[in-house]
Amino acid sequence: MSENKFGGVLPKCIGNLSTTLTTLVIEGNQISGEILEEIGNLVNLEALAMRANHLSSGIPSNLGNLQNLVILALRRNDLQGNIPPSFGNLTKLIELYLSENNFQGQIPSHLSNCRSLIFLDLANNNLSGAIPPQLIGLSSLAIILDLSHNHLTGVLPIEVGNLRALTALDISNNLLGGEIPDSLGDCTSLIALIIGGNFFHGSIPQSIRSLGGIEEMDLSRNNLSGQILEFLTIFHSLKVLNLSYNKFQGMLPCEGVFKNATGTSIIGNNELCGGLPEFHLPNCIFKGSKRRKTNIMILSISVIFGVLGTSLFLALICLFRLKKKVNKPVSSLTNDSHSNVSYGTLLKATDGFSSMSLIGVGSFGSVYRGILEGDGTIVAVKVLHLMRRGALKGFIVECEALRNIRHRNLLKILTVCSSIDYQGNDFKALVYQFMDNGNLERWLHPNTTSSHRNELPKKLNFIWRINIAIDVASALDYLHHRCHIPIVHCDLKPSNVLLDAQMVAHVGDFGLAKFLLGSSPNILANQMSSMGLRGTIGYAPPEYAMGCEVSREGDIYSYGILLLEMFTGLSPIDDKFGDNLTLRSFVMAALSERALEITDHILLLERESRFDPNSPESNDIFQECLVMVYNIGVACSNEVPIRRMSISGVANQLQKTREKLFALGFQEQDELP
């Protein structure tokens, strides 16, 4: 029944089918709900394939009753939870496909009981922990073992050498470390070896020379070092070699695969030299030249010392003392005074991550207010929910983004914590500068923000809203056009706009951010691709739902919706907006005669208190400023990306609006809300 348009959920009567049924295939449909336990009654099934549906929830453990299964294909669904240990009962299983789901926890070692398994695909899940040695050593695996795009940690077990019949091994984009084991050279049938995007260090083992039939080798984005081994040039089958973003050094060979500049990538290895001109590497300096230069240098230094004598000696002493004072270790990401914050420090700072310290909950983490011991710094601690799919990748992306950006309207990170809690679980947190006035969501919708329902209503006047809008536009302009590597935020919304004590806006939460340049040294842009639709419903641009690449224009759409929300006081997912009405169309219908009717009542009260009703000129200018703002929001949220305003144009128009407000008597120093 595959490749149809069947929808709904599986009927329970499926368990009443004949127990002699051997094949059940319903792939490529639109079936949702859970995998029924009743399927476990079909004890003679040999093939069960439900790939590419919308199945959710966990896998019932009684699927382990299907001990005649040869093929089990459940990839490309929304399945979650742990892989059942009962799968170890499927001893006749030959092919197991579980990729592109949301499975969590560790890979069960019981899968090693499936001693007929030749094809295992667990890629693109949320699996963590170490690779079970029993599984990696399962000698029956002869086609593909794909564990890529998970959160696996630890080392690559030496038992990998048992995979002598395996043709493709992919463990890329995990958190594996240590050295590449020599036993990998025993996998003599390998055609593809993909281990990029991990933390392997050391040199390429000499044993790799045994992989004479290798066609594709990807060792990129690790911490590998040493010289590139000459024997790679004699791999006549090798067509694709990716060694980029490691720490290799020395001369690049010119033979074999290294003759093919399109099939070989070595970028990001700053200490390589030589090679074909297409690689654009510097010329190598040979030892003889080095020796002559060294002799000349020694002679020159001797002459200098002879001439300068005591003066140079004293100068060196002064420089040494100065260096001792100023040469403190600096982190490219964290504030020096708060480096290396431990789990225990954050636990104490937040009173044990108590509910009283909780100030917000997001998709990937909870945010707590904390006070650091010692200097008493008040901080915001974002603790990652690591069991949620995408949380760890979001953490890595946010660290990488914040490492590269500095702007007054971007949330400042003080440090990070990557540790283990007192129960032995992974713990990761980001520590930010505390924002005294919370997020913009609390000011726009104080009565619906669940964690702050007892607060007095927030009141943002016209000038503060304009100031915040200009601050956010400035932040986007910096991210899009003034960063060394342009960044798309991908999740701009009121809860991600933070306000400090002076009501200056700071854009935060870069967990979904993407670096625009695909050729940049940043490797994280593509690692997020498995997270699905970027952004939040109501703020994400329509083209993202159709599979288009993220873009600056996508952020501008989100900004336009944010701007309309700031001045109408209505959320884009308000109940009044049904299938045929959106916040944008609601505002467009009111322009320009009914602009006051759709405006937040707080701004209307401000208008009444500021202006004499008998002064139509002031009221007209007030309404004109509102219309200017609404026009900007509508232009930014155009459904066609190329028709959206530029962010620099937005900032210019808002500044003109603010000048009109100043002329009406509004002041930048208006009392803080």
Side-chain angles (χ1 to χ4, degrees):
M1 297 184 287
S2 61
E3 306 300 331
N4 285 287
K5 295 183 180 179
F6 295 126
V9 300
L10 293 170
K12 289 193 174 184
C13 62
I14 201 170
N16 296 332
L17 294 172
S18 170
T19 55
T20 61
L21 185 70
T22 59
T23 304
L24 177 58
V25 182
I26 53 174
E27 294 183 331
N29 285 287
Q30 299 169 17
I31 298 171
S32 57
E34 59 185 16
I35 298 176
L36 299 175
E37 291 186 359
E38 284 78 3
I39 293 179
N41 298 335
L42 308 176
V43 292
N44 281 301
L45 273 184
E46 296 175 2
L48 174 60
M50 295 188 282
R51 176 190 59 85
N53 281 287
H54 304 296
L55 296 167
S56 57
S57 193
I59 296 179
S61 60
N62 69 344
L63 284 195
N65 298 339
L66 307 179
Q67 296 186 23
N68 290 307
L69 268 186
V70 175
I71 298 175
L72 177 58
L74 303 176
R75 65 186 297 260
R76 289 183 59 194
N77 280 287
D78 298 312
L79 297 168
Q80 53 191 286
N82 295 330
I83 299 173
S86 61
F87 274 17
N89 298 332
L90 308 179
T91 55
K92 296 181 181 179
L93 203 61
I94 292 177
E95 299 177 26
L96 177 58
Y97 305 86
L98 300 180
S99 61
E100 297 182 67
N101 281 288
N102 192 24
F103 291 116
Q104 301 166 351
Q106 297 186 339
I107 300 173
S109 59
H110 301 79
L111 286 178
S112 61
N113 295 336
C114 306
R115 299 189 178 280
S116 300
L117 202 61
I118 64 171
F119 194 123
L120 177 59
D121 183 6
L122 305 180
N124 289 95
N125 279 290
N126 201 20
L127 298 169
S128 58
I131 299 176
Q134 307 95 312
L135 179 64
I136 200 77
L138 194 60
S139 58
S140 62
L141 289 167
I143 301 179
I144 291 177
L145 173 58
D146 192 349
L147 307 179
S148 64
H149 292 88
N150 281 288
H151 304 148
L152 301 173
T153 55
V155 299
L156 179 59
I158 60 173
E159 287 81 0
V160 69
N162 294 338
L163 305 178
R164 292 179 175 84
L166 190 68
T167 57
L169 173 64
D170 190 349
I171 54 172
S172 62
N173 296 288
N174 279 288
L175 302 171
L176 299 167
E179 295 188 347
I180 299 174
D182 287 332
S183 58
L184 190 61
D186 295 332
C187 303
T188 51
S189 299
L190 276 181
I191 294 175
L193 173 62
I194 316 294
I195 66 173
N198 283 289
F199 297 97
F200 291 115
H201 61 80
S203 58
I204 301 174
Q206 290 283 343
S207 62
I208 296 293
R209 69 169 59 244
S210 302
L211 309 183
I214 197 81
E215 295 180 3
E216 179 181 359
M217 184 183 297
D218 183 355
L219 310 181
S220 65
R221 297 172 287 128
N222 281 289
N223 293 315
L224 298 171
S225 57
Q227 295 193 342
I228 294 178
L229 301 177
E230 284 286 338
F231 65 72
L232 292 176
T233 62
I234 64 172
F235 284 176
H236 302 299
S237 301
L238 189 57
K239 299 179 179 67
V240 178
L241 176 63
N242 191 349
L243 303 176
S244 59
Y245 302 113
N246 280 287
K247 299 176 181 178
F248 293 117
Q249 57 192 20
M251 185 173 65
L252 186 71
C254 296
E255 301 298 324
V257 69
F258 297 100
K259 287 182 178 180
N260 181 5
T262 58
T264 302
S265 177
I266 48 87
I267 58 175
N269 292 279
N270 298 326
E271 296 186 33
L272 285 175
C273 63
L276 297 180
E278 290 86 345
F279 290 115
H280 305 291
L281 293 175
N283 293 328
C284 294
I285 300 174
F286 296 102
K287 292 183 178 180
S289 300
K290 283 187 175 182
R291 187 177 297 113
R292 286 193 296 271
K293 289 189 175 183
T294 302
N295 291 337
I296 293 172
M297 188 179 297
I298 292 172
L299 179 60
S300 301
I301 292 173
S302 299
V303 172
I304 292 172
F305 267 96
V307 174
L308 297 180
T310 306
S311 300
L312 183 57
F313 178 72
L314 294 175
L316 289 172
I317 292 176
C318 292
L319 287 172
F320 177 75
R321 289 178 177 173
L322 179 63
K323 185 177 180 181
K324 281 187 69 176
K325 290 181 180 180
V326 301
N327 191 24
K328 297 178 181 179
V330 177
S331 168
S332 60
L333 176 62
T334 62
N335 182 301
D336 295 340
S337 60
H338 301 293
S339 60
N340 301 324
V341 172
S342 67
Y343 168 77
T345 299
L346 296 182
L347 187 71
K348 187 175 295 184
T350 58
D351 194 22
F353 302 112
S354 68
S355 57
M356 296 297 293
S357 301
L358 185 67
I359 57 177
V361 178
S363 301
F364 296 148
S366 299
V367 182
Y368 299 86
R369 181 182 184 274
I371 303 176
L372 296 181
E373 268 191 331
D375 58 6
T377 302
I378 301 176
V379 295
V381 182
K382 180 180 177 181
V383 178
L384 275 294
H385 300 155
L386 293 177
M387 295 303 291
R388 293 193 181 177
R389 185 180 186 184
L392 182 60
K393 291 183 180 180
F395 171 79
I396 298 171
V397 168
E398 188 154 11
C399 288
E400 189 64 26
L402 293 169
R403 181 199 307 274
N404 292 286
I405 55 179
R406 297 289 186 276
H407 192 273
R408 72 183 293 269
N409 297 123
L410 296 175
L411 187 60
K412 183 179 181 182
I413 188 170
L414 301 179
T415 187
V416 297
C417 178
S418 181
S419 184
I420 296 175
D421 64 19
Y422 293 156
Q423 285 74 45
N425 301 313
D426 286 343
F427 176 85
K428 297 189 185 299
L430 296 151
V431 182
Y432 298 101
Q433 178 184 1
F434 183 74
M435 295 284 110
D436 299 76
N437 279 306
N439 63 46
L440 183 58
E441 177 83 14
R442 289 170 51 190
W443 290 83
L444 297 179
H445 310 292
N447 297 323
T448 59
T449 307
S450 59
S451 58
H452 299 278
R453 287 177 179 168
N454 296 326
E455 291 183 351
L456 292 174
K458 305 287 186 182
K459 295 183 179 180
L460 276 179
N461 63 25
F462 204 145
I463 195 68
W464 285 112
R465 295 184 200 221
I466 289 290
N467 285 340
I468 292 168
I470 291 174
D471 286 344
V472 176
S474 298
L476 286 185
D477 185 45
Y478 170 79
L479 292 172
H480 292 176
H481 304 290
R482 307 186 193 283
C483 281
H484 175 61
I485 302 173
I487 297 174
V488 180
H489 185 276
C490 294
D491 198 20
L492 189 64
K493 57 184 177 181
S495 60
N496 288 338
V497 176
L498 290 302
L499 305 171
D500 65 17
Q502 301 304 315
M503 295 298 289
V504 175
H506 303 258
V507 175
D509 197 341
F510 286 79
L512 294 181
K514 179 169 181 177
F515 294 79
L516 278 185
L517 298 183
S519 60
S520 75
N522 185 285
I523 65 172
L524 300 165
N526 295 327
Q527 289 184 343
M528 297 297 293
S529 62
S530 64
M531 293 182 61
L533 176 65
R534 289 172 183 267
T536 301
I537 294 174
Y539 302 93
E543 65 268 19
Y544 287 7
M546 295 184 289
C548 293
E549 288 291 324
V550 300
S551 64
R552 297 179 178 94
E553 290 75 22
D555 274 358
I556 292 173
Y557 178 93
S558 303
Y559 178 85
I561 298 299
L562 173 68
L563 194 63
L564 297 179
E565 182 176 4
M566 287 176 63
F567 286 85
T568 62
L570 295 173
S571 165
I573 56 172
D574 192 281
D575 291 340
K576 70 170 58 180
F577 303 133
D579 294 336
N580 300 317
L581 184 65
T582 64
L583 177 57
R584 181 177 187 267
S585 61
F586 174 74
V587 172
M588 286 181 65
L591 288 176
S592 59
E593 291 80 4
R594 297 188 295 111
L596 292 177
E597 295 179 18
I598 63 171
T599 299
D600 191 337
H601 71 283
I602 292 176
L603 297 180
L604 299 180
L605 292 174
E606 180 186 10
R607 168 177 167 268
E608 292 176 4
S609 64
R610 276 187 179 273
F611 306 123
D612 187 341
N614 298 319
S615 174
E617 182 179 356
S618 296
N619 282 285
D620 287 347
I621 296 176
F622 184 90
Q623 182 167 343
E624 180 185 341
C625 290
L626 271 177
V627 172
M628 287 179 68
V629 171
Y630 288 140
N631 278 328
I632 293 170
V634 167
C636 288
S637 55
N638 195 301
E639 292 189 357
V640 181
I642 61 173
R643 296 181 182 174
R644 295 169 192 159
M645 283 186 72
S646 68
I647 199 64
S648 58
V650 169
N652 290 334
Q653 290 294 318
L654 288 176
Q655 286 165 3
K656 290 179 180 178
T657 304
R658 183 166 60 181
E659 290 170 4
K660 287 179 177 291
L661 292 172
F662 287 165
L664 275 180
F666 290 86
Q667 297 296 324
E668 189 118 39
Q669 294 82 17
D670 272 358
E671 184 179 351
L672 287 172

